[in-house]
Amino acid sequence: MEEDKNLPLVSSNSDGYSLGMVLLLACMVLSWIFIHRWNQRHKKGPKTWPFVGAAIEQFMNYNRMHDWLVKYLSELRTVVVPMPFTTYTYIADPANVEHVLKNNFANYPKGGTYHSYMEVLLGDGIFNVDGELWRKQRKTASFEFASRNLRDFSTVVFREYSLKLSSILSQASFNNQEVEMQELLMRMTLDSICKVGFGAEIGTLAPSLPDNRFARAFDTANIIVTLRFIDPLWKMKKFLNVGSEALLDKSIKIVDDFTYSMIRKRKAEIEEERGTGKNNKMKHDILSRFIELGENPGSNLTDKSLRDVVLNFVIAGRDTTATTLSWAIYMVMTHSHVAEKLYSELKSFEEDRAKEENVKLLQINTEDPESFSQRAMQYAGFLTYDSLGRLYYLHAVITETLRLYPAVPQDPKGILEDDVLPDGTKVKAGGMVTYVPYSMGRMEYNWGPDAASFKPERWLKDGFFQNASPFKFTAFQVS
């Protein structure tokens, strides 16, 4: 008898049993998920799913992460976000922030997780370490930045590059050209901080706006290490050297090659000056200062340590300054009354400084770029570290910008031991607590009913600048 080719290879009873099992399991899983979600129907925070926690909602809101947190923190003050392998607790109440950053500071280090994510870029620099290593670097950095030499050197450098930026903007204005303001500010701050940090001219703010491998690689590395916080596969990518981690590896090599070449160059220059007896002309850039500190017995500063120190200052001074200036310019442009007050203060400052210096203000011909350039140079000469302290309204404008658009919108901390925050929230060892300056600046319970408004006047009392509690205004990480 010919075999029927249409007969099944297994019995229908077997198929029915297998299908039934699959359907039963599917029903059980769906029922479990339904019950899990049903139990959260009255929950105010982010909703979770089995196994993955709130990772789906957080990932879907990644591009609007800060505003996503504003919504929850305005209702709850503390938001708990369970993730597959940890739990993030976001806080915006000043009492909780003070507990984490002061009262129980030792329990909330950056932690091993944060360090592992950022180590490839920040190494063991001040923004990526805890404990004694952090205290030692902070003490050294505080001493160096308090020195008159470095402050004056930084003022001269930033004034120099501000004039270069002014020249580019002036030409664009006279030629009626559009410019990408944030890109120009990024170039200015990178050139400035590299001059202060390395003592090196990298020239990204040249009139032709040239491409720069170090700048491009630094930006790429910064973006990728930040994405590690939401990419659960980054370690696998790193192990296989594929995707974003392969690109990160190439970018870090460019960053390191540049940085180590600067270290070797600066060390050679210092040795040459000593050999010729010209060591009396001390350089004031950060790298030179730390090279000299590294020569002290017991300092243990290697080339890797120098690399970490300088790159941490670059990352601290470049993006933070450029983004703050970008937002400040935008806020001034969109608030005409602020622009008028700021112009009035700057104009009075110029007139007062001209009288003090006993000089006559140069005339400006609106049709002549050169006359504008000369007046800008004269104005820049009036700007010193000490004289800037008189610009109270400018200080208020920048501070109000940082309140609403902080350069570091979130700052995560690890948890060493189980703890209870002042508002009663329990946090578990191994998780993370993140205070959120972006959200804190928008909370009515912190700043009153006009919290969302751009209002520099809130920082002035009788015309003088008045700061707020560092646990409410956290843009500078309570420093």
Side-chain angles (χ1 to χ4, degrees):
M1 182 176 179
E2 186 177 349
E3 182 181 355
D4 189 344
K5 296 181 179 179
N6 294 321
L7 287 176
L9 297 178
V10 294
S11 71
S12 59
N13 286 340
S14 176
D15 275 356
Y17 178 78
S18 300
L19 180 60
M21 288 296 294
V22 170
L23 291 174
L24 178 61
L25 287 172
C27 286
M28 291 176 64
V29 170
L30 290 173
S31 297
W32 179 37
I33 293 174
F34 176 78
I35 293 171
H36 180 90
R37 296 291 288 183
W38 177 260
N39 289 336
Q40 298 181 74
R41 65 191 184 279
H42 299 305
K43 182 182 178 182
K44 293 184 178 180
K47 304 299 189 289
T48 64
W49 295 89
F51 301 116
V52 298
I56 295 175
E57 183 176 345
Q58 179 156 297
F59 182 78
M60 290 178 64
N61 286 280
Y62 177 74
N63 288 332
R64 57 179 300 274
M65 174 69 70
H66 308 314
D67 291 315
W68 176 67
L69 285 172
V70 165
K71 173 180 174 293
Y72 283 124
L73 287 169
S74 63
E75 301 170 357
L76 304 173
R77 298 197 180 204
T78 299
V79 178
V80 179
V81 182
M83 297 292 281
F85 304 108
T86 188
T87 297
Y88 295 153
T89 302
Y90 296 95
I91 59 176
D93 189 319
N96 286 340
V97 174
E98 184 173 9
H99 178 81
V100 170
L101 297 184
K102 181 184 177 184
N103 298 339
N104 199 14
F105 178 73
N107 192 48
Y108 297 95
K110 296 177 182 68
T113 300
Y114 184 92
H115 186 275
S116 68
Y117 290 178
M118 305 298 292
E119 195 272 338
V120 67
L121 180 61
L122 299 182
D124 291 322
I126 190 171
F127 299 116
N128 202 39
V129 291
D130 295 301
E132 186 58 33
L133 189 55
W134 174 82
R135 277 186 286 273
K136 184 176 180 181
Q137 289 192 50
R138 180 178 173 82
K139 181 179 179 180
T140 303
S142 298
F143 175 78
E144 290 300 325
F145 276 91
S147 71
R148 185 80 188 189
N149 287 331
L150 183 56
R151 277 166 36 189
D152 290 345
F153 176 63
S154 301
T155 302
V156 170
V157 169
F158 278 98
R159 186 165 57 201
E160 174 189 348
Y161 287 107
S162 295
L163 282 170
K164 289 185 178 183
L165 175 61
S166 174
S167 177
I168 292 172
L169 295 176
S170 175
Q171 288 297 322
S173 177
F174 278 104
N175 295 326
N176 199 28
Q177 296 175 326
E178 291 184 356
V179 296
E180 176 56 57
M181 197 66 209
Q182 181 163 294
E183 181 196 353
L184 290 176
L185 289 168
M186 285 286 193
R187 289 173 178 268
M188 183 197 75
T189 53
L190 182 63
D191 281 11
S192 301
I193 201 64
C194 282
K195 186 68 176 288
V196 173
F198 297 113
E201 297 273 1
I202 66 171
T204 67
L205 198 61
S208 61
L209 301 181
D211 187 30
N212 182 279
R213 292 181 75 237
F214 170 76
R216 188 161 18 94
F218 187 84
D219 284 342
T220 300
N222 199 4
I223 292 169
I224 295 174
V225 295
T226 302
L227 288 174
R228 283 178 168 184
F229 284 90
I230 65 161
D231 183 0
L233 301 178
W234 76 266
K235 288 186 178 180
M236 183 181 297
K237 293 179 185 176
K238 178 178 174 60
F239 178 77
L240 298 173
N241 195 32
V242 297
S244 59
E245 290 295 317
L247 180 58
L248 175 61
D249 190 55
K250 293 177 182 177
S251 300
I252 290 296
K253 186 178 185 308
I254 294 171
V255 170
D256 283 349
D257 286 348
F258 174 81
T259 307
Y260 284 119
S261 70
M262 288 295 102
I263 292 171
R264 290 191 296 269
K265 179 182 177 182
R266 182 63 73 249
K267 281 187 170 182
E269 289 173 349
I270 292 173
E271 286 301 316
E272 182 181 354
E273 289 177 354
R274 286 175 179 166
T276 57
K278 297 179 180 179
N279 196 37
N280 58 332
K281 189 178 181 181
M282 184 178 70
K283 295 183 180 297
H284 301 302
D285 60 272
I286 295 170
L287 176 57
S288 295
R289 294 294 303 126
F290 273 86
I291 287 174
E292 292 178 359
L293 290 172
E295 295 171 349
N296 296 331
S299 70
N300 298 321
L301 276 177
T302 63
D303 282 3
K304 171 65 165 55
S305 305
L306 293 171
R307 175 259 188 210
D308 295 347
V309 165
V310 175
L311 283 184
N312 274 251
F313 283 117
V314 170
I315 206 168
R318 189 269 182 120
D319 291 29
T320 53
T321 306
T323 54
T324 299
L325 289 172
S326 298
W327 276 114
I329 291 169
Y330 177 76
M331 299 311 284
V332 170
M333 291 176 65
T334 53
H335 295 78
S336 58
H337 68 286
V338 173
E340 290 170 4
K341 288 185 178 181
L342 186 57
Y343 173 78
S344 177
E345 180 180 66
L346 295 173
K347 188 172 184 296
S348 297
F349 171 85
E350 181 186 40
E351 293 169 351
D352 292 344
R353 290 289 288 125
K355 290 179 181 178
E356 291 169 3
E357 298 291 331
N358 196 26
V359 298
K360 185 177 181 180
L361 293 175
L362 300 174
Q363 295 300 308
I364 299 178
N365 180 353
T366 56
E367 303 298 323
D368 178 21
E370 182 60 28
S371 71
F372 180 86
S373 176
Q374 292 297 321
R375 180 67 172 266
M377 289 181 65
Q378 184 182 46
Y379 192 97
F382 296 145
L383 297 170
T384 64
Y385 184 87
D386 293 325
S387 67
L388 285 171
R390 305 181 194 177
L391 298 171
Y392 299 115
Y393 194 71
L394 174 61
H395 193 174
V397 168
I398 298 298
T399 307
E400 181 71 348
T401 300
L402 284 167
R403 184 182 71 86
L404 291 173
Y405 301 99
V408 181
Q410 299 180 19
D411 194 359
K413 303 290 182 183
I415 305 171
L416 287 181
E417 299 178 357
D418 292 358
D419 194 15
V420 180
L421 301 180
D423 68 356
T425 303
K426 296 179 180 179
V427 294
K428 296 290 186 180
M432 299 191 80
V433 170
T434 300
Y435 68 96
V436 193
Y438 182 91
S439 295
M440 294 182 72
R442 287 166 167 73
M443 298 297 103
E444 292 190 3
Y445 54 75
N446 287 338
W447 298 96
D450 62 350
S453 300
F454 183 75
K455 187 179 176 183
E457 289 76 14
R458 78 174 75 243
W459 298 95
L460 299 174
K461 183 177 181 181
D462 299 326
F464 293 93
F465 182 85
Q466 298 290 319
N467 217 331
S469 164
F471 305 108
K472 183 172 79 168
F473 176 64
T474 54
F476 294 105
Q477 286 70 59
V478 197
S479 58

